[in-house]
Structures are given as structure tokens and as C-alpha cells.
Amino acid sequence: MICAHDYEAYVERAVRSALEQEGMPPGSVEVIVVDDGSTDRTPQLLAGFGDRIRVIRQANQGAAVATNTGIAASRGAYVSLLDADDEWLPDRLRRVVDLLERRPEVGLVHGDMVVVDGAGEVLHPSMLQWSGVPASSGRVLGEYLRDNQATTSAITLRGDLARALPPAPAWMSCRDWWLAAQVAARHEIAVADGPVARYRVHGANGFAFGHGDPQAELRLLERAVRVRRLLLRTLDLASVPLPELAAAWSHHVMAMDLVAQRRGRPVDDLLAVDDADRAEADARLREALDRRDRDPAGAARAAVAALAADPGRADAFSLFHDLAAAAGAAPVPPPAIRRAVLGRLRGELAARAHALPLEQLLGRWQQLEQQRGLVDAALGPAPVGAGDRDRGLDAVAAALASADRGDDVAAARSLVAALCHNPADAHAQFALQAAVGRLGGRPAPPRDAAARERLSGPRPPAVDDARAFVAIALADELAADPGLLRAWAEAFDGGDDATLAVYAPGRTPGDAQAQVLAALDAAGLSADDDRDMTLIAAAHPDPGVEARLAGDALALLGRARAAGALGGLPPLATPEALRERARRRWDHDGAGRPLSVAIKICAPRWAGAESWGDLHFARAVADELRRRGHRAIVQVIEEWDDPDGRACDVALHLRGLDAYVPRDDEVSVLWCISHPERVTPAECDRYDVAFSASPRHAAELSRRTRRPVLALPQATDPTVFFPDPDPAHARDVVFVGNSRRTVRPIVRDLLPTDLDVAIWGRDWEPYVDRRHLAGEHLPNDAVRRAYTSAGVVLNDHWDDMRAQGFVSNRVFDALACGATVVSDDVPELDELLPGAVLRYRARDDLHATLRRELADPEGRRERGARARELVLARHTFAARVDTLLDAVAPRVRAGAARG
């Protein structure tokens, strides 16, 4: 019986090898070919054999269904299988039929094969050796539960038995394993002496055993897990000794672990369990419990069938383990059960952390970590409850106090306890590494100082030797309105710590100087005025120069908001407003002196930190603090406990994935900007001041904390995000964001579409047509050009952020560029940005909104201008730093570390 699908290159040889068998009586061999929907010349080639073969044609349904069809149509005493790209050796049938005639207890015979290439040249004389597969005879179901040993073109089984077996499921391409295992559950299996066929390796099946191709090997392993699960739950396992059954189950568990680890996906995705599976597991477990006393072996077999249906059933595994162990075998627990056991062992180790010798404690913890890594690879990271997170933070706080006293042994003990409670606590991980290193006399690992300076250092000033308070004025505006210079002169005199930087874009230095001198004269001021003024001329407008100027300045001397990067500066035109703005700078925002602020972000190290959104967030906060005269440093997790940070007045933690534990001798501020589900009330209570980027989340936390949690939304940096059109980025729709290894909902709702779409981000290739992929990374200056030039910018939120009312900073950035933004539905969008963002709820709604907006460019421009004005008035990092400094300055002034 031959299955063929598009094998015109080989099918004739396969058919001839079956027709030309030696030593068989005339007319004793019926050749059935199932043509499984071939689209090449296979049907014509088969027709050339005339009535010497029987051809059954069907729509393409796969090898398993084709095999089922052929077996059902067979009439012989024996059924022999042959793939359409292989060939039988001339005496194949005679040898296996003789064996079956002599041994009635045997239900299936298979044998070795010679491995050949597409042209028929021998690659290896033995496929069994080439593939590393054993060949076992007798009642060998236990071995077939581990792995298949029989290959299609080498199989012959009794005809009545073949036609009585349950058909292979359509998804099961390895129908040889199915047939062999089904027979092994009922009869003996025999292996013929010597090769019986020629197995062909070519382009279509060259990696049938995964040789040389890791992805092919992984696919085979994944398939084997599915097949083995089905066999364990459906076959009669009565002939399998319990040690063999335990070994087969353990092999299955290890295969599940390996597939999940290499796929980077939880094993739950690989072996989904539905209500029917759970009901089957319940029934098989009831059977096992009923048979436990009178038939322990039968009970164990029913228990493993329950586990195959639902691998997370701890009660089924416990029963199977006890019964198999009594027979001298100890099966490996499946990942879900190992996770529960590991949780209990971690809790016990945390309780004994201060009683065990440190070396033993560290060894036990490392063993548990290795096991946790395997289980997490299989199931995905385990969720950590709020209680465990809080207990872990308590242990980290105790460890930091011990380290401050120089007791690194006690610190290491507490940190192991912290990691037992919350294995993902990155602060504890780095702190433990440092404590153990100090105990061993090892220096701290080198830090990437160059990356730190490049990614977090202050941007170069545009105004050299400027005084404390800097304002920018546009030369053209001063020429048209000399009263602005009079207001400056009334606000400041030569002794004041203030600088006016006059920017003259599009002018030579000589022309700019003449223009400013004329403006001074018109204002009644002398060119020798002793107030500090500097002139910056540029032959052409330069967004980069303007951004640096805006980064130096705290105000715009003008009556209306400027365009471009200077638009974030508040326009001030009266002496009183200018003087008040300067007083805040001179008073260091109420602190009375420059503050030093350590901004803690959740990137583990500087290597790779650029891909973390909170780095860009932190840089914007740091730049704003620096231009006000404060000192700001940004620290990744491995630096959180470094002396530089500890010497700062204020620790500002931008809370994302990981929790920072503040010290008693610093003013501490928590600002939750993402992952709100990880923040507990007890964590907030560790800080002097706590903020959340969501008003809703802040209110919910405040009901459960000792101090109120205040709302402080995300923001934009208008020196980075401003209108900057670029024809190279002109697209109908732009989305900037990584795929997160799935099809994000807004992209799923957008595609397919005939609109000109540009998606920027990583890991989109498996999910999106390549014509929509613009690139993996955009630097911030290019992001603003993409936003400005797009017809519409799309935005979405993490599920937990949307549920808790967090508005993405992408919204503020895009609006600051004057873009039209369409976002998923978060009610806080209208509360924070009334009328500025278009929300959608369903796919049709999204497409209708896009069509409407793209058809109305004038309406988009008007909405973009209004939205930009709203963002610049309320939602810049300057406004956020005002709030932060208002909160911490009184504490610093009073010298209070804790409120």
C-alpha cells in the first residue's frame, strides 16, 4: 500500500519495486496507491501501470488519512506499507511473509533500510544506525511509548489486524508510530534480518530524523510529545511493566520540558487541557483509586492515563508515583507538580535561611534555582503573589541593613530568603551577587562606564558659560517687539544670575548682530548693557540646535508659544513673570540648594538598556533636573546600591518590572509608570512619596496605604518630540512598538488593509506581511519625524495598563509632534487629553476612523495643533518635575529621611 502526493520523481520506482517482488506466487501481491491530491504528473505516471495496480484518488488530506484509506481498501492477508519516495528490496515481501507465517504470535514485522540520496547513491548502509533507533522484538509496548522504532516502508502487519485497528488521527503524520504502538499493545513485534527497503533522503524529507537541522529536530520532538500523550491515554497498557511505564512517562516529561524550553513557550501552549480532558482525567483517576488495593499495577496504569489527559493533576501523579515506586521505579513529576513542590521547598528554605551554614544554604538555593529554571521553561514564569513580594522586599531591606553594618553573611542569608519568596527579584539577585563576591574577596564585576555615559550623561550645552537662569529669545521677535527687551531689563540687572540667549535662525552672525543692536536701540537699551546676553546665529534653522537651546533654557522671552523644539518653553513677557520664574531656579525649586537625585530604572545593566522605555523616560527627567541646577544620575539595577546613588539626597524609582527597596537615609519617591499589577500597598508605604501614572490606580492604592498615592501621569519631552516633517517618513498609518511575540490587538484589527502602513519594531516578521515592516529601531529624533509625517499614529496599551487606566507615553509624544492619534479605548484618555485622541472599540470602528481622518487633512492639522498646545501646557516633563520637586524639597529642607 503506497501513499503518494506530488512525488512524480520517485513514484514509478516505488511502484515497480512492489510489482517486481521475487519469490511471491503470481497474483499474490495487490498494489494499492492512494493518490493524496497530487498536483504534479503523479496521476499520469500511475495511469501508465494500467490494471496492474489499483489507484484511489482523494483530495489532499495528509499521510495519515491516506494510509487509513489504503488499509481500509486492502483485501490481503498481510498489509505492507511503502512511501512513494522509497523502494522495497526485491526479496522484501518473501522474507517478512515467511516470518509471519512461522510466528502467529507476531502482529507486525519491520526491519532496517539502506539510506540513499535523491539519485539513489548510498549514504548509509543502515537507517537504524544512522538514526540511532533501536530495534526491539517481543512485547515491546513500553519501548514504543518512549519512541517509535518502525518506519513506514519497513512495516508489514496482518491484514485483519490492520483493518481492525483504530485509524490514525488526521494530524498525525507519523502513522508508522501509531500502527506499531497499536499492534504492540496487542501482539508481539518482530524485526527482520537485514535491510528490507531503500529509504530516500531528498529535499522534501531530508530531515525526517532532524539530522543537521535544529528546527527540524525540534518539530519532530514536539510532534512526539503530542503522539506520546495520545498513546498513553488511549492504549491498553496492561502489557507494560510498571518500571517501563515510569520510564516512558519520565521520558515524556523531559521531552515536554525540552520543547517548551527551546520554543520559549509554556508547555501549556503545547499541551492544552480543556474541559473534556479534565473530565477524562477525573474518570481515569476514579478508576485508579477503585483498583488501588486489589490491582495496584492496573491502578498505576489508570493513573498515568489520567496524567496524560491532564498533566497537572497532582493527585494522579501522587498515586502513580507511589505505585510505581513500590515496583522499583520513580517517575519524574510533570512541570505543574514540580512547581508546587518547588514552591513548598522554597518556603522551607526561606524559613531556615538563618539556621543553615551559608555554603549549604547557597548550594540548596542554587539547586532549587536550576529546577525552577526547568519548570519555568516548561510552564512560563510562575506568578508571584502580593504576600510573597512583600515578604521578599522585607528580606531585601534586612539584607541592605546588614550590608551597611559590614555583615555580608547576614546579608547573603536574607537575600537568599528574599529570592525564595520572589525568585524574579532583580534587586535581590544583584545584591546577592555583590555580597557573595565580597565574602569571597572578589572585586565587583566591571561596569560598562562608556555605555552609561553615552546613554545617560548630560547633553552638551548650547549656551556656554550661561548663568543659572536662562531664557531664549528669537531675534526676529525682538526686532518686531522691542518691548520684550524692556521687560527683560526691568526684571534683571547686571548682577542677577540670568542669561538671555538670542537665537537668530537663517541669519549670518553679522546680520544677526545688527538686528539685535537695532532692537536694543529701539528698546532704549545700550549695546554696552551689563546684563548677560549671548547671540546664537545659524545660517539655516537646525532642529538639533533648537533642541539643545530648549534644553538649556527655562523660559521663552515672548508673547506666544514658539514652534518646534522651543515650543515647550513657557512664553513670558512681563518683568514679574520673568522674575518669578528666575526665583524658583535661584532657590532650587524650594530646596534652598542643589539636590542630587538618583533615578532608578528597571533595565538590569547598561548593555541593552537602550531598548528599555524607562531609560528614555529617566533621561528626560534627568535633563529637566539638570537644567534647573540639580544633579541627576540614572542607575540600572546592578548600580542601585552603589555609593554614587547612596550619596544622593533623593532616590526616584521609576517603577516598572522590578521593585527597589529604599534606605532610611534617603528621601525616596516611587513613581509607578507601568506594570501596576506588581505594586503592592506595602511597597508604596516604604516610600516618603508615592505616585502612579494612573489617577484610577492611585486612588485604588490610596485606599490601602498609610499615605496617599498621588496621580502623576506620564509625559513628553518637547525638546525631543515636536513637529519635524520628513517626506521620507510620509505614510498613511504608523505604529512604533515591538510585537511582544504576538499580534498586538491594534495591529490585528488594522491588517489586512490597502493603506500605506509602516510598522517599526522588533519580532514582527512571523506575524505581519513584510511590506508593512519599516525597520526594527527608530532613534527618538527619527520617531518624531515618523509621527509628524504620518497621516495617523496608532497606539495601544498593555492589558494591565489599560485595565488600570495608564495612558502610554507614546500618546503624549505623538501629540507633541502634532500627530493624529488613534488608540484603543482607555477612558483616562479623555480625562487627561479631552478631545485630543480618537478611541476605537472594534475593527470596523478602527477602519472607519482611519478612512475618515485620512480623507480630512485640514481637520487633522487643526486637531493636531490643539492637541499639541494641550500637551505642552499640561503634560511635559517640566510640569512633572515641578510636582516631584514640590514633594521632596520640604523633606530635604527639613532633613527628614522619612515623613
Side-chain angles (χ1 to χ4, degrees):
M1 198 280 294
I2 302 171
C3 296
H5 173 72
D6 286 353
Y7 266 157
E8 63 181 8
Y10 308 113
V11 68
E12 286 183 296
R13 297 181 191 177
V15 172
R16 286 198 193 96
S17 75
L19 289 172
E20 297 172 359
Q21 285 294 296
E22 300 172 352
M24 298 297 294
S28 64
V29 178
E30 176 189 40
V31 178
I32 299 173
V33 183
V34 179
D35 180 4
D36 191 38
S38 293
T39 59
D40 62 358
R41 294 179 60 250
T42 295
Q44 292 89 331
L45 295 174
L46 293 175
F49 288 98
D51 60 5
R52 289 190 296 166
I53 65 173
R54 181 151 60 109
V55 179
I56 301 172
R57 292 190 175 87
Q58 64 179 31
N60 180 242
Q61 299 175 67
V65 174
T67 300
N68 296 338
T69 299
I71 290 176
S74 67
R75 296 174 296 214
Y78 304 102
V79 174
S80 291
L81 306 184
L82 175 60
D83 277 333
D85 55 344
D86 295 337
E87 300 172 51
W88 282 343
L89 295 183
D91 61 348
R92 181 245 204 264
L93 287 183
R94 177 181 58 79
R95 288 192 288 132
V96 300
V97 168
D98 286 349
L99 191 156
L100 285 164
E101 291 286 343
R102 292 194 314 270
R103 299 182 57 187
E105 74 278 7
V106 171
L108 178 147
V109 176
H110 70 99
D112 204 352
M113 296 192 288
V114 179
V115 182
V116 299
D117 64 14
E121 297 296 323
V122 174
L123 297 176
H124 198 289
S126 169
M127 194 200 70
L128 293 175
Q129 293 179 12
W130 179 68
S131 60
V133 173
S136 304
S137 298
R139 297 303 295 266
V140 289
L141 177 57
E143 296 187 38
Y144 276 83
L145 291 175
R146 288 171 56 90
D147 287 301
N148 184 35
Q149 299 181 7
T151 305
T152 302
S153 295
I155 288 177
T156 299
L157 65 165
R158 299 185 186 277
D160 290 343
L161 173 62
R163 290 183 284 273
L165 294 177
W171 57 264
M172 188 180 290
S173 57
C174 50
R175 73 275 196 200
D176 45 11
W177 191 2
W178 175 262
L179 289 170
Q182 293 288 338
V183 174
R186 298 163 171 82
H187 302 279
E188 290 189 16
I189 286 180
V191 180
D193 293 333
V196 297
R198 289 159 61 88
Y199 176 82
R200 194 179 309 278
V201 175
H202 58 92
N205 77 339
F207 296 110
F209 289 92
H211 282 279
D213 184 346
Q215 287 303 310
E217 291 173 356
L218 179 56
R219 287 193 296 272
L220 289 170
L221 186 63
E222 191 169 36
R223 181 189 69 182
V225 168
R226 293 184 67 196
V227 174
R228 196 181 296 107
R229 181 193 186 197
L230 184 60
L231 296 177
L232 284 168
R233 66 194 293 188
T234 58
L235 288 179
D236 181 354
L237 305 176
S239 65
V240 184
L242 287 193
E244 289 186 19
L245 189 59
W249 172 256
S250 298
H251 188 75
H252 183 57
V253 169
M254 290 184 285
M256 286 193 292
D257 284 355
L258 183 58
V259 170
Q261 184 178 10
R262 291 177 61 182
R263 283 287 187 205
R265 291 165 39 206
V267 74
D268 293 346
D269 290 351
L270 182 68
L271 295 179
V273 177
D274 58 22
D275 289 342
D277 295 324
R278 284 185 279 271
E280 180 183 337
D282 288 340
R284 299 308 298 267
L285 182 58
R286 286 194 298 272
E287 176 190 348
L289 293 171
D290 180 62
R291 300 173 68 174
R292 178 172 187 165
D293 294 332
R294 58 185 171 82
D295 180 11
R301 296 179 182 111
V304 82
L307 278 173
D310 183 356
R313 288 295 297 263
D315 45 3
F317 178 78
S318 178
L319 178 58
F320 178 47
H321 177 276
D322 292 346
L323 294 171
V332 172
I337 296 171
R338 271 180 286 157
R339 169 165 287 171
V341 173
L342 282 171
R344 177 175 57 79
L345 293 176
R346 283 203 312 268
E348 293 173 356
L349 189 61
R352 300 182 62 200
H354 292 275
L356 292 173
L358 182 60
E359 185 175 352
Q360 183 180 349
L361 174 69
L362 292 171
R364 291 281 304 280
W365 172 71
Q366 288 169 352
Q367 291 172 356
L368 291 179
E369 279 296 280
Q370 291 173 355
Q371 290 297 314
R372 182 182 69 86
L374 292 173
V375 173
D376 283 357
L379 295 177
V384 179
D388 278 329
R389 287 199 295 273
D390 289 336
R391 284 186 284 273
L393 295 181
D394 288 339
V396 172
L400 297 179
S402 296
D404 289 345
R405 296 192 303 269
D407 188 349
D408 284 318
V409 172
R413 292 179 182 281
S414 293
L415 290 165
V416 169
L419 289 168
C420 286
H421 291 303
N422 182 6
D425 188 327
H427 191 181
Q429 291 168 359
F430 280 107
L432 178 60
Q433 181 184 31
V436 172
R438 291 191 297 269
L439 287 169
R442 295 189 297 273
R447 307 283 171 75
D448 193 340
R452 179 179 60 214
E453 180 62 26
R454 176 175 60 86
L455 295 175
S456 71
R459 51 187 169 188
V463 183
D464 294 329
D465 301 320
R467 298 182 181 180
F469 176 72
V470 178
I472 303 293
L474 296 172
D476 285 347
E477 192 167 355
L478 295 182
D481 187 357
L484 293 170
L485 284 171
R486 286 193 295 272
W488 181 266
E490 290 179 31
F492 308 107
D493 58 33
D496 282 323
D497 199 2
T499 295
L500 178 64
V502 181
Y503 178 48
R507 295 187 181 276
T508 65
D511 288 344
Q513 186 176 31
Q515 184 183 38
V516 172
L517 288 174
L520 285 169
D521 184 62
L525 300 174
S526 167
D528 297 326
D529 189 274
D530 63 352
R531 296 170 180 83
D532 189 49
M533 296 180 62
T534 187
L535 177 63
I536 300 169
H540 304 285
D542 185 339
V545 170
E546 293 180 15
R548 288 169 55 201
L549 281 170
D552 286 355
L554 289 164
L556 176 77
L557 179 60
R559 301 187 191 279
R561 195 177 293 281
L566 299 176
L569 299 174
L572 305 177
T574 67
E576 295 78 15
L578 288 164
R579 190 79 182 177
E580 179 57 33
R581 187 75 173 172
R583 280 197 190 98
R584 174 151 187 154
R585 170 62 182 82
W586 295 335
D587 188 38
H588 293 98
D589 302 282
R593 63 175 175 83
L595 300 179
S596 54
V597 181
I599 305 174
K600 318 283 186 176
I601 66 172
C602 293
R605 299 179 176 85
W606 283 110
E610 198 163 9
S611 65
W612 287 68
D614 50 356
L615 170 64
H616 305 287
F617 198 102
R619 289 175 62 177
V621 174
D623 285 340
E624 183 62 31
L625 287 165
R626 289 166 185 153
R627 73 170 172 170
R628 297 172 186 231
H630 303 292
R631 174 176 173 263
I633 62 172
V634 178
Q635 292 189 307
V636 293
I637 298 178
E638 71 172 347
E639 300 172 326
W640 280 2
D641 299 318
D642 282 4
D644 282 351
R646 296 197 55 198
C648 289
D649 300 305
V650 179
L652 169 59
H653 179 36
L654 300 180
R655 179 63 156 96
L657 283 171
D658 294 286
Y660 168 73
V661 176
R663 297 174 183 266
D664 290 339
D665 58 353
E666 63 191 7
V667 175
S668 57
V669 181
L670 175 73
W671 189 0
C672 177
I673 61 174
S674 65
H675 298 288
E677 80 288 354
R678 294 174 179 246
V679 180
T680 67
E683 180 185 344
C684 296
D685 285 336
R686 296 178 182 278
Y687 287 82
D688 297 304
V689 183
F691 295 101
S692 172
S694 162
R696 193 193 325 167
H697 182 242
E700 193 276 332
L701 277 176
S702 290
R703 289 192 288 270
R704 298 184 290 138
T705 55
R706 293 195 300 268
R707 297 184 188 85
V709 178
L710 308 175
L712 192 63
Q714 298 202 31
T716 191
D717 181 352
T719 70
V720 175
F721 293 98
F722 52 84
D724 188 8
D726 178 4
H729 283 286
R731 310 292 282 270
D732 289 338
V733 179
V734 164
F735 179 81
V736 180
N738 299 327
S739 74
R740 302 172 185 162
R741 300 190 183 278
T742 185
V743 182
R744 291 171 64 155
I746 199 165
V747 174
R748 180 195 63 216
D749 291 341
L750 171 67
L751 301 178
T753 180
D754 59 355
L755 297 176
D756 185 13
V757 175
I759 297 175
W760 291 89
R762 295 192 304 275
D763 303 321
W764 281 106
E765 290 81 0
Y767 311 111
V768 172
D769 190 315
R770 293 185 62 83
R771 66 192 175 91
H772 298 310
L773 302 182
E776 289 195 352
H777 175 69
L778 272 178
N780 270 351
D781 58 348
V783 172
R784 72 168 173 258
R785 290 195 285 272
Y787 285 166
T788 306
S789 309
V792 173
V793 175
L794 298 183
N795 172 75
D796 67 0
H797 297 81
W798 288 93
D799 289 344
D800 60 337
M801 294 183 69
R802 181 173 57 252
Q804 294 282 357
F806 282 70
V807 173
S808 165
N809 66 305
R810 186 192 294 111
V811 171
F812 301 107
D813 293 342
L815 294 181
C817 297
T820 293
V821 177
V822 177
S823 177
D824 52 357
D825 191 18
V826 179
E828 279 74 9
L829 284 167
D830 270 352
E831 296 173 18
L832 294 172
L833 300 157
V837 179
L838 301 171
R839 295 182 288 161
Y840 86 97
R841 294 185 178 179
R843 173 183 169 84
D844 290 347
D845 183 19
L846 172 63
H847 283 258
T849 300
L850 293 177
R851 299 288 180 187
R852 183 183 68 244
E853 293 302 311
L854 292 172
D856 184 15
E858 185 59 34
R860 295 203 313 274
R861 281 191 291 272
E862 292 177 1
R863 178 185 291 106
R866 291 194 304 270
R868 171 171 162 78
E869 181 64 32
L870 176 61
V871 167
L872 295 181
R874 302 183 190 176
H875 300 297
T876 65
F877 278 104
R880 303 297 182 256
V881 169
D882 282 344
T883 302
L884 290 169
L885 291 173
D886 286 344
V888 302
R891 288 177 165 79
V892 174
R893 218 171 34 239
R898 306 293 293 177

